[in-house]
Amino acid sequence: MATLIAPSSNHSPVEDAEALHKAFKGFGADNKSIVAILGHRNVHQRQQIRRAYEELFEEDLIKRLESEISGDFEKAVYRWMLEPADRDAVLINVAIKHGSKNSHIVAEIASVLSAEELLAVRRAYRNRYKRSIEEDVSANTTGHLRQLLVGLVSTYRYEGDEINPKLAQTEAGIIHESLKEKKGNNEEEVIRILTTRSKTQLVATFNRYRDEHGVSVSKKLLDQTSDDFHKALHTAIRSINDHKKYYEKVLRNAIKKFGTDEDGLSRVIVTRAEKDLREIKELYYKRNSVHLEDAVSKETSGDYKKFLLALLGKQE
C-alpha cells in the first residue's frame, strides 16, 4: 500500500541517532531537526534509529524525546515512534483510563484491525501492562458496553470472502428489530453478530439492511449515540463497513469542533500515515472541498503542525 512517508534512501541509523542527540543539546531541543528526521523515516527505520541511539548513548530515545518536547507535539511524536501494535496498545489503554466516554476508541481499533493485527496488539498490551485488554475493559465498563468491547477485542475473525446470503438476511432482521424496539431486548444478539462474524459477512448484512429498510445501519443508530454503548456500537459498525470513510469523519469532526480535537486528529494521521492515509485524504477532499493538509495547517500551530504536515507528505 502506498505510503505518504518518503524516507531518505541514504538513511543511516547511526547518523540519525547522532543528529537527534545533537538536537537535544543546549537550552531547548532543536524541534526542526526532530521533525526533519523522524517525520521522514518509516517504521523499520525508526526502530533502527531507536536501537542505534540506545547503543550509542545508553538511554531510550523515546524517554529522551518525552523529556525534551511537550504538548501535542510530544504526544504525536511519542506514538509515532512506537511499533504499530505497541502504539495501538497504548491508545487502547489511554481510552480505557478515560472511562466509558472514550470506549468508542477501543471499538474503533478492534474493528479496523485484521485478526493477526489485533492478536499482536493483545500481546503488546499484555507485555506492556502485565494485564489483558479484556481484564482492563471489564474492570472499567459495565453491561452491554462491556459485553461489546470484550467481544470485539477478543475476537479472531475469519477473513475469507465467503458470504451466506440467507444468514445476512436473518441477521439484518435481528439488527432491525433491536433498533426498532429500543427496549434492550436484542442487544446481546446484535453483540453476538458483530463480534463473531467475518467482516465480509457483516458488510453483506449491513448491505441487506440498507436494501430492505432504505437507510444504513449506522444512520439508523445516529439518534441513539447519546449513550456510550450505542456510540461504541455505531463506531464498530462504521469501522467494519468502511474504515476509510469512518476515519474521514473522525478527521472532519476533529477539525470542525469548537477547538480542534488534537487527540482525534493525531490518532488518525499517526496510525494511518503508513497504511491508507492517502486514500483518506482523497475522501476528505471529496467530502469537504478542502485539502486535509490545508485544514490541518489552519487549525494547528508550531512544531505539532509541522510534524503532522510531514506525516501528511507536505512541507510547510
Side-chain angles (χ1 to χ4, degrees):
M1 186 175 293
T3 176
L4 290 171
I5 306 304
S8 171
S9 58
N10 298 321
H11 158 73
S12 165
V14 171
E15 289 179 6
D16 283 344
E18 289 173 340
L20 286 168
H21 190 255
K22 183 180 178 181
F24 299 146
K25 291 183 176 180
F27 184 74
D30 177 4
N31 292 343
K32 184 177 180 181
S33 293
I34 294 172
V35 173
I37 296 169
L38 298 182
H40 298 89
R41 300 294 183 266
N42 64 30
V43 61
H44 303 297
Q45 292 173 332
R46 297 195 300 276
Q47 300 314 308
Q48 289 174 336
I49 294 169
R50 188 178 177 185
R51 287 192 294 270
Y53 190 92
E54 187 164 3
E55 289 174 6
L56 287 168
F57 306 110
E58 298 182 347
E59 67 175 340
D60 186 350
L61 174 57
I62 291 181
K63 289 184 179 179
R64 184 60 187 268
L65 284 164
E66 285 183 289
S67 69
E68 293 287 345
I69 58 180
S70 60
D72 295 315
F73 178 48
E74 181 270 323
K75 187 183 293 185
V77 171
Y78 170 75
R79 292 174 178 177
W80 178 244
M81 285 300 297
L82 297 175
E83 293 188 51
D86 202 26
R87 178 197 301 143
D88 284 332
V90 169
L91 289 170
I92 288 174
N93 181 259
V94 170
I96 291 171
K97 283 182 177 178
H98 280 82
S100 58
K101 68 174 184 175
N102 278 357
S103 56
H104 64 285
I105 296 175
V106 180
E108 167 194 307
I109 295 170
S111 300
V112 169
L113 297 177
S114 69
E116 289 298 329
E117 287 171 335
L118 181 55
L119 187 59
V121 172
R122 291 171 65 192
R123 289 190 181 116
Y125 194 99
R126 181 190 62 197
N127 292 338
R128 177 176 275 265
Y129 300 108
K130 313 307 177 190
R131 301 182 302 275
S132 69
I133 299 177
E134 296 93 324
E135 181 180 357
D136 281 357
V137 166
S138 294
N140 289 276
T141 55
T142 58
H144 289 128
L145 178 61
R146 175 193 285 168
Q147 291 177 335
L148 174 65
L149 295 182
V150 169
L152 288 173
V153 301
S154 60
T155 190
Y156 190 79
R157 299 183 193 275
Y158 171 66
E159 295 185 332
D161 296 328
E162 292 84 352
I163 292 173
N164 183 329
K166 189 171 183 180
L167 183 64
Q169 180 180 12
T170 299
E171 296 190 334
I174 292 172
I175 294 173
H176 175 67
E177 288 302 311
S178 176
L179 298 182
K180 184 178 71 173
E181 291 179 7
K182 300 182 183 179
K183 296 177 181 177
N185 295 336
N186 285 344
E187 267 87 348
E188 291 187 8
E189 277 293 281
V190 174
I191 291 169
R192 176 189 62 78
I193 293 167
L194 285 180
T195 58
T196 60
R197 302 301 183 202
S198 73
K199 291 182 182 179
T200 306
Q201 181 66 39
L202 285 171
V203 170
T205 298
F206 301 153
N207 289 341
R208 187 60 184 249
Y209 183 100
R210 186 190 62 237
D211 292 344
E212 291 195 359
H213 305 290
V215 63
S216 67
V217 182
S218 57
K219 284 185 179 179
K220 185 69 175 177
L221 267 169
L222 276 177
D223 62 348
Q224 299 182 38
T225 55
S226 57
D227 68 273
D228 296 325
F229 167 67
H230 283 96
K231 186 175 183 180
L233 188 68
H234 181 259
T235 297
I237 290 172
R238 289 213 66 189
S239 300
I240 291 168
N241 197 38
D242 191 330
H243 72 271
K244 294 173 189 175
K245 286 185 177 179
Y246 165 77
Y247 280 128
E248 185 280 324
K249 182 70 176 293
V250 173
L251 289 170
R252 187 171 5 125
N253 288 344
I255 291 169
K256 287 187 175 181
K257 274 189 174 182
F258 181 73
T260 306
D261 175 12
E262 286 84 1
D263 191 68
L265 188 62
S266 296
R267 188 174 77 252
V268 177
I269 293 176
V270 169
T271 61
R272 308 315 295 182
E274 294 181 282
K275 293 185 176 180
D276 47 19
L277 188 55
R278 186 183 301 278
E279 293 94 329
I280 294 168
K281 280 175 55 177
E282 291 170 357
L283 284 171
Y284 186 91
Y285 181 74
K286 288 178 182 177
R287 178 67 177 77
N288 303 280
S289 300
V290 175
H291 291 292
L292 180 58
E293 301 96 312
D294 295 336
V296 168
S297 185
K298 182 180 178 181
E299 297 296 329
T300 59
S301 61
D303 297 310
Y304 175 59
K305 167 184 171 179
K306 293 172 185 175
F307 186 65
L308 292 187
L309 290 178
L311 299 191
L312 285 164
K314 180 180 179 179
Q315 297 300 323
E316 196 184 6

